Amino acid sequence: DTEVTQTPKHLVMGMTNKKSLKCEQHMGHRAMYWYKQKAKKPPELMFVYSYEKLSINESVPSRFSPECPNSSLLNLHLHALQPEDSALYLCASSHPGGEGKTQYFGPGTRLLVL
Amino acid sequence: SQQGEEDPQALSIQEGENATMNCSYKTSINNLQWYRQNSGRGLVHLILIRSNEREKHSGRLRVTLDTSKKSSSLLITASRAADTASYFCATDASGGSYIPTFGRGTSLIVHP
């Protein structure tokens, strides 16, 4: 199984809502990533988990809260978002550490904040 | 920033033609990867080339790496309409965290 799944595929939320994005993989990868991608731009790294521990937080606002409950699951909790947070949110996984890490990406969650 | 810069930003060709995309980067790297992204979808890994390699092939893809010029090229031969997508190079810097940093991407349109 070389698939990374993400739910939901689409999400519309108001600025006062709380929602969560979910990501799952069963490839035995112990590194998982959240990226944000705006239209016609490259993915921007938000968070990296390595062996279920947060290893990188790219100065992301606290209204985004990641969680890695186990080695297969990665969540991104959303609260009090702004319209400029509307984007495609991509999850990826890979083997941790070392050179030549190929990342496997999920299809993304298209988020619209009203 | 280690971010790669793809060139051209947009490329429009006819089916059957070859497509060449270039990527330049700023600092020494361990390896360089190319990814494809269909509109609004996740990225798909195409090929990885290590810093001590100069050329790699995979099917209709040919990747070259010139570390002296800090550049790479991706050639897609005999293009198909299904190759229409955005293509990103990703590098990870020597002595860095091995997390790929993506370039701006090239948007390729292949007309049937």
Side-chain angles (χ1 to χ4, degrees):
Chain A
D1 183 1
T2 59
E3 188 179 23
V4 176
T5 60
Q6 288 188 244
T7 56
K9 290 184 179 179
H10 301 276
L11 179 62
V12 179
M13 59 187 291
M15 290 189 284
T16 59
N17 292 159
K18 286 185 180 181
K19 297 287 185 183
S20 296
L21 308 185
K22 297 184 184 300
C23 173
E24 189 168 6
Q25 56 87 18
H26 295 287
M27 293 178 278
H29 291 163
R30 301 301 294 276
M32 296 185 77
Y33 312 77
W34 280 116
Y35 287 88
K36 173 183 177 181
Q37 187 180 27
K38 301 285 262 186
K40 300 190 185 302
K41 298 288 187 182
E44 295 177 20
L45 184 66
M46 300 175 72
F47 303 104
V48 181
Y49 273 84
S50 182
Y51 295 99
E52 296 83 68
K53 295 192 187 303
L54 184 64
S55 61
I56 293 179
N57 175 342
E58 292 288 327
S59 302
V60 179
S62 59
R63 56 186 184 270
F64 295 91
S65 175
E67 179 195 19
C68 190
N70 60 55
S71 60
S72 299
L73 294 174
L74 184 66
N75 298 321
L76 185 63
H77 303 296
L78 314 174
H79 174 56
L81 294 192
Q82 303 297 308
E84 60 264 29
D85 297 322
S86 299
L88 181 68
Y89 287 84
L90 294 165
C91 172
S93 70
S94 74
H95 291 295
E99 298 182 28
K101 292 191 300 186
T102 294
Q103 292 181 305
Y104 293 80
F105 282 82
T109 293
R110 176 76 60 187
L111 174 66
L112 177 62
V113 182
L114 300 176
Chain B
S1 166
Q2 177 56 30
Q3 188 177 54
E5 303 263 336
E6 280 92 339
D7 168 50
Q9 290 193 35
L11 183 59
S12 180
I13 61 175
Q14 293 296 127
E15 213 167 26
E17 295 180 340
N18 295 341
T20 300
M21 289 159 266
N22 303 295
C23 169
S24 59
Y25 54 92
K26 296 177 182 174
T27 63
S28 297
I29 60 170
N30 294 309
N31 59 70
L32 185 145
Q33 304 184 61
W34 285 91
Y35 287 81
R36 184 188 76 224
Q37 184 178 33
N38 290 85
S39 181
R41 305 291 292 172
L43 282 76
V44 175
H45 182 260
L46 295 176
I47 198 165
L48 178 150
I49 187 165
R50 300 191 187 280
S51 59
N52 61 354
E53 298 175 312
R54 292 296 166 258
E55 187 171 314
K56 278 188 94 167
H57 296 257
S58 176
R60 293 184 296 112
L61 306 180
R62 173 178 171 253
V63 169
T64 62
L65 179 65
D66 187 335
T67 53
S68 66
K69 295 181 179 178
K70 293 186 171 59
S71 68
S72 173
S73 68
L74 171 66
L75 169 66
I76 304 174
T77 60
S79 63
R80 305 166 182 169
D83 295 327
T84 295
S86 292
Y87 292 81
F88 294 92
C89 68
T91 56
D92 65 68
S94 301
S97 63
Y98 299 115
I99 294 176
T101 302
F102 290 90
R104 293 180 307 186
T106 292
S107 175
L108 173 66
I109 297 175
V110 181
H111 299 280

